[in-house]
Amino acid sequence: MVGVVSRMPVKILIVDDEKEILAWMKISLENIGFHVRCSIDAKDALKAYDEEKADLIITDMVMPGMSGLTLIMELNKIDPEVKIIAISGGGIINGQRYLALAKEIGADLMLPKPFGEKELHLAIKEVLG
């Protein structure tokens, strides 16, 4: 099973304010064996991560309240080893610029929106090894 490492399911926390994207990614990743939790904002994600550590965080960059950039910085303070995939389709500035900034502050991989299931699965495989 793709989502299992050493007989334990890999835990993924997805953070995105677009509920349709959360639902799509959750189903896609659970179908290949990952344990997936979702948060609709960065503050909720920090609380969820504090309650149960994740092996991988997939976070949008542009969200109301705390941005994905701030979330990445906070997560790296809590756990410098956490793996992070930054996703973005844009916002006030070009989505590629958000992703470049995410890389500079600690994201392991950037994935521009829109992306498909294959790209998502390959990105996770690349980050988790």
Side-chain angles (χ1 to χ4, degrees), residues 12-17 21-22 25 39-42 45 56-63 66-73 75 83-89 98-99 102 105 107 109-111 113 115 120:
I12 298 177
L13 175 59
I14 305 170
V15 189
D16 199 311
D17 60 320
I21 291 175
L22 278 179
M25 285 195 286
S39 292
I40 60 167
D41 64 47
L56 172 66
I57 310 292
I58 301 172
T59 185
D60 191 22
M61 293 293 91
V62 182
M63 298 180 285
M66 184 187 298
S67 72
L69 294 170
T70 303
L71 175 61
I72 292 169
M73 290 187 288
L75 286 167
K83 300 293 185 192
I84 300 171
I85 296 175
I87 60 175
S88 183
Y98 279 114
L99 295 176
I105 62 170
L109 190 138
M110 285 60 58
L111 191 59
K113 290 179 181 176
F115 52 85
L120 177 61

Side-chain angles (χ1 to χ4, degrees), residues 22-127:
L22 278 179
W24 170 76
M25 285 195 286
K26 180 175 175 45
I27 291 167
S28 175
L29 298 178
E30 286 179 340
N31 283 340
I32 59 171
F34 291 108
H35 171 75
V36 181
R37 291 178 302 138
C38 297
S39 292
I40 60 167
D41 64 47
K43 286 184 180 182
D44 183 57
L46 287 172
K47 182 180 175 192
Y49 190 79
D50 186 52
E51 292 170 0
E52 181 183 10
K53 302 287 185 256
D55 301 301
L56 172 66
I57 310 292
I58 301 172
T59 185
D60 191 22
M61 293 293 91
V62 182
M63 298 180 285
M66 184 187 298
S67 72
L69 294 170
T70 303
L71 175 61
I72 292 169
M73 290 187 288
E74 292 300 316
L75 286 167
N76 280 317
K77 287 180 194 174
I78 296 166
D79 182 0
E81 300 299 314
V82 67
K83 300 293 185 192
I84 300 171
I85 296 175
I87 60 175
S88 183
I92 297 171
I93 62 174
N94 180 291
Q96 292 295 331
R97 183 68 186 132
Y98 279 114
L99 295 176
L101 289 170
K103 179 71 172 174
E104 289 176 26
I105 62 170
D108 296 283
L109 190 138
M110 285 60 58
L111 191 59
K113 290 179 181 176
F115 52 85
E117 193 171 58
K118 182 177 180 180
E119 292 88 0
L120 177 61
H121 295 179
L122 288 172
I124 291 168
K125 183 177 180 181
E126 182 178 332
V127 170

